[in-house]
Amino acid sequence: MKSAIYPGSFDPVTYGHLDIIKRASEMFDEVIVSVLDNKKKTPLFSVEERVKMLEETTKDLTNVKIDSFSGLLVDYAHSIHVPIIIRGLRAITDFEYELQNAQTNRVLSNGTVDTLFLTTSLEYAYLSSSGVKEIAAFHGDISHGVPPLVEQAILQKFPKES
Ligand code: PNS
């Protein structure tokens, strides 16, 4: 069985992430979407909340599993015996950061963990979780960027003052 890991912060999951997940699920027998539990960052959503939103928004994709991890990605990849990482590329600015990460993961894993890049569909190329959160903080429209259940969850984090 060919499996791949799609790791990320997913704080929160956007239509851009979901586009990558769907396309990856058509290429692999199994895609494990894994949320990084990064103790150094203060996310808007807890790991549990992010996992739940991913579970709900990918429930129609039967070969997609949601998980979480902490520490090094290569250690996680080894622990679940999946040597392929998927990452999405929106623009050249992503590429520099992603290339460095992919090369670092090759070195750390002695060449056993590889990264495959999928280019984000053009309609989502402008989207980012941080952009969505910034718009939401100012009570702007985020319906173009996230599914309704994620939109509701974000709105609860930024309630309008009455
Ligand atoms: O959604 P993000 O925040 O761009 O995802 C980044 C992620 C989670 C893929 C990356 O930060 C990561 O793999 N972190 C785990 C720590 C690690 O392995 N670092 C060394 C390789 S860069």
Side-chain angles (χ1 to χ4, degrees):
M1 186 162 77
K2 262 291 180 226
S3 302
I5 302 169
Y6 180 36
S9 300
F10 304 107
D11 186 39
V13 60
T14 67
Y15 282 132
H17 297 128
L18 291 170
D19 170 58
I20 298 287
I21 293 169
K22 182 163 188 303
R23 286 159 55 203
S25 75
E26 288 160 6
M27 295 172 191
F28 288 89
D29 299 314
E30 178 187 55
V31 175
I32 300 148
V33 181
S34 203
V35 176
L36 174 66
D37 185 1
N38 188 348
K39 307 281 184 225
K40 287 194 204 136
K41 278 195 187 172
T42 312
L44 181 62
F45 293 100
S46 68
V47 172
E48 293 73 23
E49 288 173 316
R50 285 178 272 161
V51 164
K52 194 150 189 287
M53 284 188 280
L54 278 162
E55 281 171 349
E56 288 179 17
T57 51
T58 62
K59 63 175 186 271
D60 293 337
L61 303 172
T62 50
N63 63 337
V64 171
K65 282 207 272 180
I66 314 299
D67 195 11
S68 62
F69 75 104
S70 55
L72 289 177
L73 180 55
V74 290
D75 290 342
Y76 170 69
H78 284 148
S79 73
I80 60 168
H81 310 289
V82 178
I84 301 173
I85 292 164
I86 306 267
R87 292 286 289 169
L89 287 179
R90 289 166 300 191
I92 199 77
T93 41
D94 280 349
F95 181 71
E96 285 189 23
Y97 166 75
E98 294 295 343
L99 179 67
Q100 194 178 24
N101 280 0
Q103 289 171 337
T104 303
N105 287 332
R106 287 264 309 160
V107 170
L108 288 177
S109 67
N110 291 318
T112 62
V113 174
D114 258 309
T115 303
L116 293 181
F117 295 115
L118 291 183
T119 53
T120 301
S121 295
L122 280 180
E123 60 195 298
Y124 305 125
Y126 70 96
L127 255 185
S128 68
S129 297
S130 48
V132 165
K133 285 183 283 190
E134 182 160 339
I135 296 166
F138 294 109
H139 306 116
D141 179 16
I142 53 169
S143 61
H144 52 91
V146 292
L149 75 92
V150 177
E151 185 181 3
Q152 286 311 312
I154 299 179
L155 292 179
Q156 284 178 16
K157 300 275 181 184
F158 298 108
K160 275 191 182 164
E161 285 162 30
S162 50

